[in-house]
Structure formats: C-alpha cells, structure tokens
Amino acid sequence: MFITKNRAMVLATTVSLLGGCGGAEKTDTPGVASIAQPTATASAAASPSERPLIRADASEEERTRLQDVYIDCLRANGFPKQGAVKGRNGGYPSDLEDFDLSAGVVDKIKKNCGPKEPELPIQRAKRLDPQYADHVEANVKCLKSHGIEAVVENDAPALVNGLPGRSDGHWLDDCEREAFADYYSTLN
C-alpha cells in the first residue's frame, strides 16, 4: 500500500502494492509516496501468530472476509459505522487516533480487535523479520535498477516521484517479492 495525503481509510483488502494505492498517512517528506506500515494502535495487543495474514495468493473473497471480520469487531467495540466500510471495496482506518474516540473505546478496540486485524506479508516482516531493514534496502535497490526512484523513509520503501506508469507498476510487487523472498517463504 502507498501513503497519500488527506485520506483516512486504508484499503486493507489489497495485497499488491500497486493495487493498494489508497492508504492514508502523512509523510515527513513532501512529495514522497510511502508504503503504508502497520500502526501500533490497533495491532499492539496482537501477538505475532494471532493476526490473520493476507497472503499474496489469497482470493478477493478471502481478503474481504478477513477485513469484514475485523470491521465487525471494530463496530462491536464502539467504532462508528461510517468509519469502516465492509465489502469488496471497503476499508478501515490505518490509525484509530485519527478519530475522536474516547480512551476507553480505543483500549477496548486494541484489546479485542488487535488480534483480528489482517496484515500483509510486508507488515508481518516489519514486525517479525530481524533482517527487515536489509530487505527494505534490497527492495529499494531493485526498484532503482528498474528506473523507479525510491528511498528508505520511516523504515519502509518510499517512491520519490509517485507511482510508476502501468508498464512499470509490476516492479513494485516484483521487487518486494525478490527482496523478501527468503522471509516470505517461511510464511504459512
């Protein structure tokens, strides 16, 4: 997923980086699109093995099912219905702090829903892979070798000139898979 400014919903159902160009967070560097990373807000209570993984080969139905389970939990624990949309084109916030929720509601969501928040392979790698930083560097190097200007920002690959055109867009996924191949092969 890529970070763009002024949008509060992350489409959690998207596995491919190019397909997930709707995430939202502010970056420290103006004009740099960053790959969204998991936030501590909803996932802090989850242990490494508890969060469901959205595998690269997951069907759209499976992605939607995982997202909807998490959204049901958010709503059942006090999150406003309009803040999380179920279904194929739905999504949920990347950061609960973007909403004016009481501390009690946020704590309740973290405790009850953190283990249900689905994560992408790169998000799991950031949490668990001791060689994550090396893999990010390899990802950026690969992107650069294919003419896509990228840097490491906030411990993640970031695109300097925004998303590449359609003909080069596949390099986003290809370079990530190549850079993280040894870690991704360990995922169940």
Side-chain angles (χ1 to χ4, degrees):
M1 286 186 262
F2 289 88
I3 296 173
T4 57
K5 293 184 179 185
N6 301 323
R7 206 167 150 202
M9 298 294 284
V10 171
L11 296 176
T13 60
T14 306
V15 169
S16 75
L17 295 176
L18 184 58
C21 300
E25 285 181 21
K26 291 185 179 182
T27 62
D28 294 336
T29 308
V32 176
S34 301
I35 298 173
Q37 298 300 315
T39 61
T41 32
S43 59
S47 74
S49 62
E50 292 172 330
R51 290 181 63 190
L53 180 66
I54 301 175
R55 297 177 50 88
D57 61 351
S59 67
E60 186 65 33
E61 292 77 24
E62 177 65 8
R63 289 182 218 129
T64 300
R65 186 189 70 74
L66 292 172
Q67 168 194 278
D68 287 354
V69 167
Y70 180 64
I71 290 172
D72 285 341
C73 185
L74 290 175
R75 290 178 178 172
N77 285 279
F79 194 80
K81 185 175 181 177
Q82 69 274 15
V85 179
K86 290 176 66 171
R88 184 179 179 134
N89 294 316
Y92 56 85
S94 63
D95 190 346
L96 296 174
E97 304 302 324
D98 290 341
F99 291 81
D100 190 23
L101 303 172
S102 71
V105 170
V106 172
D107 291 342
K108 187 176 175 183
I109 289 172
K110 286 179 187 179
K111 178 183 176 192
N112 297 328
C113 303
K116 295 178 183 180
E117 182 182 15
E119 65 184 342
L120 298 170
I122 196 165
Q123 293 170 317
R124 184 164 292 175
K126 184 172 184 178
R127 287 192 310 116
L128 302 176
D129 183 5
Q131 296 169 334
Y132 175 79
D134 294 336
H135 294 168
V136 169
E137 289 288 345
N139 190 353
V140 167
K141 183 177 179 181
C142 176
L143 290 169
K144 286 181 176 182
S145 74
H146 294 289
I148 300 171
E149 194 57 39
V151 296
V152 176
E153 181 181 293
N154 298 325
D155 301 323
L159 303 175
V160 175
N161 298 318
L163 294 173
R166 284 185 179 239
S167 63
D168 289 331
H170 68 94
W171 291 116
L172 300 175
D173 291 328
D174 294 350
C175 287
E176 178 187 323
R177 277 192 298 272
E178 179 183 314
F180 286 88
D182 62 332
Y183 179 74
Y184 286 1
S185 70
T186 67
L187 299 177
N188 296 329

